[in-house]
């Protein structure tokens, strides 16, 4: 690395240590009362927004393994936020459904997340928020291409 690039690297490390690594905690905080991670909330959100959702649908959408989603769904089932219903035509196919408690939890968490997000937009403004989003999308795309 060229010596003049070192301050830039140090600045990136500093931002990571003091800000970015806490972003997940900041984002997942609205779901804590319901003992859910942000990922579990997103699954619950998908189920409440769509009919006939299966574990495989969620795994495909998130581009992760079936077992990774299965672990998350087990928590949602155990906590009573989701239930499974077999397809009438193919009993092996299980649809995920939100329970009334799950629908309520999703609604409350969504309202809290919307409030937090609106706070970000209020601070940065719509244009700056879109620029930040575009940068994160670009960064993600470049990172995936380098794998």
């Amino acid at each position: 690395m060229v010596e003049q690039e070192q301050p830039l690297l140090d600045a990136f490390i500093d931002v990571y240590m003091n800000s970015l690594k806490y972003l997940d905690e900041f984002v997942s905080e609205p779901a804590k009362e319901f003992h859910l991670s942000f990922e579990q909330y997103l699954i619950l959100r998908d189920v409440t927004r769509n009919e006939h959702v299966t574990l495989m649908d969620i795994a495909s959408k998130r581009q992760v393994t079936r077992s990774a989603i299965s672990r998350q769904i087990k928590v949602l089932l155990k906590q009573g936020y989701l239930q499974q219903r077999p397809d009438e035509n193919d009993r092996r196919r299980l649809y995920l459904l939100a329970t009334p408690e799950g629908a309520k939890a999703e609604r409350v968490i969504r309202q809290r997340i919307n409030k937090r997000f609106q706070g970000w937009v209020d601070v940065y403004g719509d244009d700056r928020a879109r620029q930040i989003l575009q940068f994160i999308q670009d960064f993600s795309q470049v990172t995936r291409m380098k794998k």
Side-chain angles (χ1 to χ4, degrees):
M1 177 180 296
V2 178
E3 190 63 33
Q4 64 204 34
E5 293 175 358
Q6 192 63 41
L8 183 59
L9 174 60
D10 290 345
F12 271 92
I13 291 170
D14 187 54
V15 166
Y16 172 77
M17 294 302 294
N18 295 307
S19 302
L20 293 179
K21 74 178 187 179
Y22 299 108
L23 186 58
D24 180 55
E25 183 179 316
F26 182 78
V27 168
S28 64
E29 193 277 329
K32 279 186 180 177
E33 175 188 331
F34 296 92
H35 308 287
L36 296 176
S37 69
F38 190 65
E39 281 293 319
Q40 291 161 346
Y41 162 71
L42 292 176
I43 292 168
L44 183 59
R45 184 182 76 161
D46 282 348
V47 171
T48 60
R49 286 183 170 186
N50 302 290
E51 291 186 41
H52 305 294
V53 177
T54 66
L55 184 150
M56 285 306 297
D57 295 333
I58 294 169
S60 294
K61 179 180 179 182
R62 301 231 189 299
Q63 299 178 341
V64 297
T65 65
R66 182 183 187 280
S67 63
I69 294 299
S70 180
R71 286 189 296 273
Q72 302 293 340
I73 288 174
K74 281 182 185 176
V75 172
L76 291 161
L77 290 167
K78 184 177 179 184
Q79 292 182 340
Y81 295 132
L82 290 183
Q83 60 188 12
Q84 293 178 314
R85 186 186 74 219
D87 183 326
E88 293 175 10
N89 299 319
D90 182 355
R91 308 285 296 165
R92 296 169 296 172
R93 185 178 181 95
L94 297 174
Y95 292 120
L96 297 167
L97 300 149
T99 63
E101 296 83 10
K104 179 183 175 189
E106 190 282 329
R107 186 175 55 255
V108 170
I109 295 167
R110 178 175 19 94
Q111 290 168 348
R112 290 175 182 174
I113 289 170
N114 287 342
K115 185 176 179 180
R116 277 187 166 222
F117 181 74
Q118 187 58 51
W120 290 356
V121 173
D122 291 345
V123 168
Y124 293 108
D126 193 64
D127 288 342
R128 183 77 170 130
R130 290 181 189 282
Q131 289 172 351
I132 293 167
L133 176 60
Q134 184 63 55
F135 170 77
I136 293 169
Q137 289 171 329
D138 292 346
F139 181 82
S140 179
Q141 184 178 11
V142 169
T143 302
R144 280 189 296 236
M145 288 184 340
K146 296 216 180 229
K147 282 185 176 181

